[in-house]
Amino acid sequence: MAAIVGRSRPLVGITASIHGSRIAAMANRLALWRAGASSVRITADALFPIDRLDALVVGGGDDIDASLYGESARPQIRIDPERDRLEMRALDCAAKIGLPVLGICRGSQMINVHRGGSLHVDIHEVYEEAPHMRTVLPRKRIRIEPDSRLYRILGIGECRVNALHHQSVDRVGDGLRVVARERAGIVQGIEAPQEPFLIGVQWHPEYLVADSRQQALFRHLVATAAGTAPMDDYAEAPPPARGSVRASG
């Protein structure tokens, strides 16, 4: 059941940068369509009311302004302050109205920053033994905590993922839990156990189109938005379908 009356598919917003991110946004839109949702790309110059969405994907892209988590900016790092502000406001609204949220790469980091956490500005300054890897192919092995929602969704304790990042979660934000790491210790997955669906993954599942386990992240996001997710995907009982109290428009 769609969350807004008169809509056949849940509507999911995908945040992106004005400059770039189009390939990732297209891949996310395809993944969400296959999962049963419609989607809309949201940028600082193409806004959309967050309270009209049924779920939110905070997408990948440029680094987050280090001043948001108390670090000094690096001049060689490209940031997008307008997008930062957009996503902080979007996450504020999502938290207020209880939207399911999936954060991807930068989006996972933004979830952590929004909850008061911090980031490693450059993972290779901290994890010197970590391989320098940048690939859309699943080449990096990660381990997932067996008592996590991420584990229940993927159905596996270890998997290979892609790597397109040089930053990662450092201090974990309020109400969040680290649920996946790679061998070097770099955080690869976070979630909020007390929320119906608030998950961040450091990799890009939208590019792993042939991997049904990875695509399950989108299916479960959409199912949560529609109110059809299995009971054990919730911390408690699932919230009522929001379509019963919301008007079309």
Side-chain angles (χ1 to χ4, degrees):
M1 177 179 178
I4 294 182
V5 174
R7 204 148 68 198
S8 60
R9 287 168 167 257
L11 181 62
V12 183
I14 307 166
T15 64
S17 174
I18 297 173
H19 312 290
S21 300
R22 291 189 178 276
I23 294 176
M26 289 173 61
N28 277 313
R29 295 190 76 166
L30 175 60
L32 289 164
W33 181 261
R34 292 172 64 192
S38 298
S39 59
V40 57
R41 185 171 183 264
I42 304 172
T43 64
D45 66 346
L47 301 176
F48 190 90
I50 303 303
D51 60 1
R52 291 183 59 189
L53 298 173
D54 305 303
L56 179 67
V57 171
V58 186
D62 294 334
D63 294 330
I64 298 166
D65 187 347
S67 67
L68 292 177
Y69 51 92
E71 294 289 340
S72 299
R74 303 287 180 89
Q76 73 275 21
I77 291 176
R78 189 173 70 176
I79 61 174
D80 187 345
E82 291 185 350
R83 181 179 178 183
D84 292 343
R85 290 190 288 271
L86 163 69
E87 290 178 340
M88 292 291 275
R89 291 194 300 267
L91 287 168
D92 281 343
C93 185
K96 183 177 180 179
I97 65 178
L99 285 186
V101 178
L102 173 63
I104 294 175
C105 198
R106 166 202 160 94
S108 179
Q109 298 166 13
M110 181 57 80
I111 288 172
N112 190 58
V113 171
H114 179 258
R115 289 288 187 109
S118 66
L119 306 178
H120 293 299
V121 178
D122 188 330
I123 55 176
H124 297 293
E125 293 180 357
V126 180
Y127 301 97
E128 296 181 358
E129 73 281 15
H132 290 252
M133 186 180 299
R134 186 172 183 83
T135 175
V136 297
L137 300 176
R139 295 286 186 260
K140 181 172 287 189
R141 182 175 293 278
I142 66 168
R143 291 187 176 182
I144 302 165
E145 294 294 332
D147 60 343
S148 65
R149 181 174 289 116
L150 183 62
Y151 178 94
R152 293 199 298 274
I153 291 173
L154 298 182
I156 195 168
E158 291 191 10
C159 64
R160 290 188 181 274
V161 299
N162 48 31
L164 293 169
H165 67 103
H166 74 99
Q167 298 188 325
S168 70
V169 168
D170 180 9
R171 186 181 68 255
V172 182
D174 296 340
L176 298 175
R177 175 192 175 203
V178 174
V179 294
R181 293 182 185 269
E182 61 181 87
R183 180 176 298 178
I186 297 171
V187 173
Q188 287 285 330
I190 57 174
E191 64 183 43
Q194 300 306 315
E195 303 290 340
F197 194 111
L198 180 61
I199 295 175
V201 295
Q202 188 57 68
W203 65 93
H204 285 260
E206 73 274 25
Y207 292 145
L208 303 174
V209 295
D211 189 329
S212 178
R213 293 184 187 276
Q214 295 295 330
Q215 297 307 299
L217 281 164
F218 298 99
R219 293 195 298 271
H220 282 253
L221 176 73
V222 172
T224 306
T228 60
M231 281 290 292
D232 64 355
D233 284 336
Y234 293 91
E236 299 174 356
R242 293 162 60 220
S244 61
V245 297
R246 293 176 64 182
S248 59

